[in-house]
């Protein structure tokens, strides 16, 4: 079975960059100090975890295994968790790690709430107040808690991505079934609208046709594309390993396509009698576009939730990381 070389992606570039920093910091430590066995242990831990990160970045997999890894996200999350452990171990291995306190506080503050006791302990730490072992323990606990929050956020964003994919597949199947039914039995899903005062109007003209459902779906999708473009324009760039915006746009388009069909059925059933009158084919097609755009009302909550998830899943803190 042919193995595939990993593609260069944004998250790999970020992880590789931070891994290079870890190795540079380890090289700057110099030779191990025999009088500091704990520092030697942390140094060995950093080297071991860095090797795991390297393996995750360069691992070659078969096509099916690559798909399974992409779905589960295990290689991404394993790389991040090992990188975080390597960074923690590198800080702990350095005798002068307290000189990094400003940067460490900024990193912890980006991932822990104000009332977290580990964050408070780090912020209140003063050099020389405790023994080096206790100071190191305070720093390590705070960093681990901060990185754990970041790792859990990665897992949450992956779960959301998979749910969006599953929802997209379901919507795609629904739209396909509706289109096929309309093509095989045009009268089963009537897309024509009529009233007592206005003549019958169909998407394809005055008479029903097999392509009516597909035409309504296409225009509904077009209306949803307009909303997706707005989403793309307002969304800020993200370095998260799981990017949601593409899946959100697919959901909008597929949902807009389905809602256009349901909306035209409602117009044809007389649900809006006295409120909306369809006098021409152009008006009916325009309503298909409007109904497709109306999915924005339903997907706005999804967009807000995705924004919150992505804000938590930041692979890099908002402030400069300690070097």
């Amino acid at each position: 079975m042919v193995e595939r070389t990993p593609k260069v992606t944004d998250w790999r570039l970020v992880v590789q960059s931070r891994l290079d920093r870890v190795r540079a910091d380890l090289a700057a430590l110099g030779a191990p100090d025999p009088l500091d066995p704990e520092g030697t242990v942390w140094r060995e831990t950093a080297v071991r975890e860095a090797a795991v990160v390297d393996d995750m970045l360069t691992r070659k997999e078969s096509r099916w295994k690559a798909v399974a890894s992409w779905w589960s996200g295990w290689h991404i999350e394993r790389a991040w968790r090992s990188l975080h452990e390597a960074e923690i171990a590198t800080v702990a291995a350095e005798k002068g790690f307290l000189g990094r306190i400003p940067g460490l506080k900024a990193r912890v503050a980006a991932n822990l709430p104000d009332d977290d006791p580990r964050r408070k302990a780090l912020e209140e730490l003063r050099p020389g107040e405790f023994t080096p072992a206790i100071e190191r323990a305070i720093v390590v606990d705070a960093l681990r808690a901060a990185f754990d929050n970041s790792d859990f956020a990665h897992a949450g964003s992956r779960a959301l991505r998979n749910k969006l994919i599953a929802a997209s597949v379901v919507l795609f199947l629904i739209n396909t079934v509706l289109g096929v039914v309309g093509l095989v039995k045009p009268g089963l899903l009537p897309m024509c609208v009529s009233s007592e005062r206005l003549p019958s109007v169909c998407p394809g003209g005055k008479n029903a046709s097999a392509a009516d459902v597909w035409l309504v779906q296409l225009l509904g999708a077009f209306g949803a594309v307009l909303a997706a473009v707005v989403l793309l324009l307002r969304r800020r760039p993200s370095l998260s390993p799981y990017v949601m915006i593409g899946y959100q746009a697919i959901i909008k388009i597929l949902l807009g396509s389905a809602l256009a069909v349901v909306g035209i059925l409602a117009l044809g059933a007389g649900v809006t009698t006295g409120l909306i009158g369809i006098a021409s084919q152009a008006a009916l097609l325009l309503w298909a576009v409007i109904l497709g755009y109306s999915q924005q009302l339903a997907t706005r909550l999804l967009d807000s939730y995705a924004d919150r998830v992505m804000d938590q899943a930041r692979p890099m803190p908002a402030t400069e990381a300690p070097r």
Side-chain angles (χ1 to χ4, degrees):
M1 188 173 293
V2 178
E3 293 185 338
R4 304 181 67 191
T5 302
K7 296 180 179 179
V8 177
T9 54
D10 289 346
W11 76 267
R12 282 190 171 89
L13 291 174
V14 176
V15 170
Q16 184 64 62
S17 172
R18 287 174 60 170
L19 180 61
D20 291 341
R21 289 191 212 171
V22 166
R23 286 181 168 149
D25 289 342
L26 285 173
L29 294 179
D33 185 355
L35 300 179
D36 184 21
E38 186 177 356
T40 301
V41 171
W42 283 112
R43 184 196 298 257
E44 292 173 351
T45 300
V47 172
R48 185 169 59 252
E49 294 296 336
V52 174
V53 178
D54 255 340
D55 180 46
M56 293 299 104
L57 292 176
T58 60
R59 177 184 291 263
K60 296 182 179 180
E61 295 180 318
S62 65
R63 184 179 299 275
W64 292 112
K65 285 185 178 180
V67 172
S69 297
W70 170 81
W71 179 261
S72 66
W74 75 271
H75 62 301
I76 295 177
E77 290 165 35
R78 184 72 175 93
W80 277 109
R81 289 177 185 272
S82 293
L83 174 65
H84 289 158
E85 286 298 322
E87 290 179 326
I88 292 170
T90 301
V91 171
E94 186 177 357
K95 287 186 177 180
F97 63 87
L98 289 182
R100 298 175 179 261
I101 284 293
L104 296 175
K105 288 180 179 179
R107 173 170 284 189
V108 169
N111 292 283
L112 291 182
D114 295 340
D115 58 350
D116 189 284
R118 292 157 297 190
R119 174 177 171 179
K120 287 183 176 180
L122 179 64
E123 291 178 343
E124 296 171 0
L125 180 62
R126 300 293 180 269
E129 184 178 2
F130 302 105
T131 63
I134 294 177
E135 292 173 340
R136 179 181 277 135
I138 291 174
V139 170
V140 168
D141 282 349
L143 279 177
R144 276 183 173 159
F147 285 142
D148 282 346
N149 276 1
S150 175
D151 293 332
F152 293 149
H154 284 176
S157 60
R158 173 180 51 80
L160 176 60
R161 182 205 64 178
N162 291 353
K163 290 177 182 178
L164 292 178
I165 294 173
S168 299
V169 172
V170 171
L171 286 172
F172 176 79
L173 292 176
I174 290 174
N175 279 293
T176 301
V177 170
L178 290 176
V180 171
V181 169
L183 188 64
V184 175
K185 295 185 177 181
L188 195 60
L189 291 174
M191 293 286 99
C192 297
V193 177
S194 62
S195 63
E196 295 179 357
R197 298 182 179 180
L198 298 174
S200 177
V201 178
C202 300
K206 295 182 179 180
N207 301 316
S209 68
D212 283 350
V213 175
W214 291 108
L215 182 58
V216 170
Q217 286 180 322
L218 178 62
L219 292 173
F222 174 71
V225 165
L226 300 179
V229 170
V230 174
L231 174 69
L232 291 170
L233 291 177
R234 73 176 182 84
R235 182 59 51 85
R236 61 185 177 84
S238 173
L239 290 178
S240 170
Y242 304 107
V243 180
M244 301 295 170
I245 190 167
Y247 304 109
Q248 291 173 249
I250 292 174
I251 290 284
K252 288 178 181 291
I253 294 170
L254 293 174
L255 185 59
S257 181
L259 286 179
V261 174
V262 174
I264 297 300
L265 285 174
L267 292 175
V271 174
T272 59
T273 300
L275 298 176
I276 300 175
I278 306 298
S280 65
Q281 178 190 10
L284 181 61
L285 297 179
L286 178 60
W287 268 106
V289 176
I290 294 173
L291 289 167
Y293 186 85
S294 70
Q295 53 71 39
Q296 184 68 10
L297 298 175
T299 57
R300 181 179 296 179
L301 293 177
L302 173 62
D303 294 340
S304 298
Y305 178 67
D307 285 343
R308 292 196 299 272
V309 171
M310 296 306 293
D311 285 341
Q312 294 174 355
R314 291 172 294 182
M316 297 179 66
T319 52
E320 179 66 18
R323 294 183 62 85

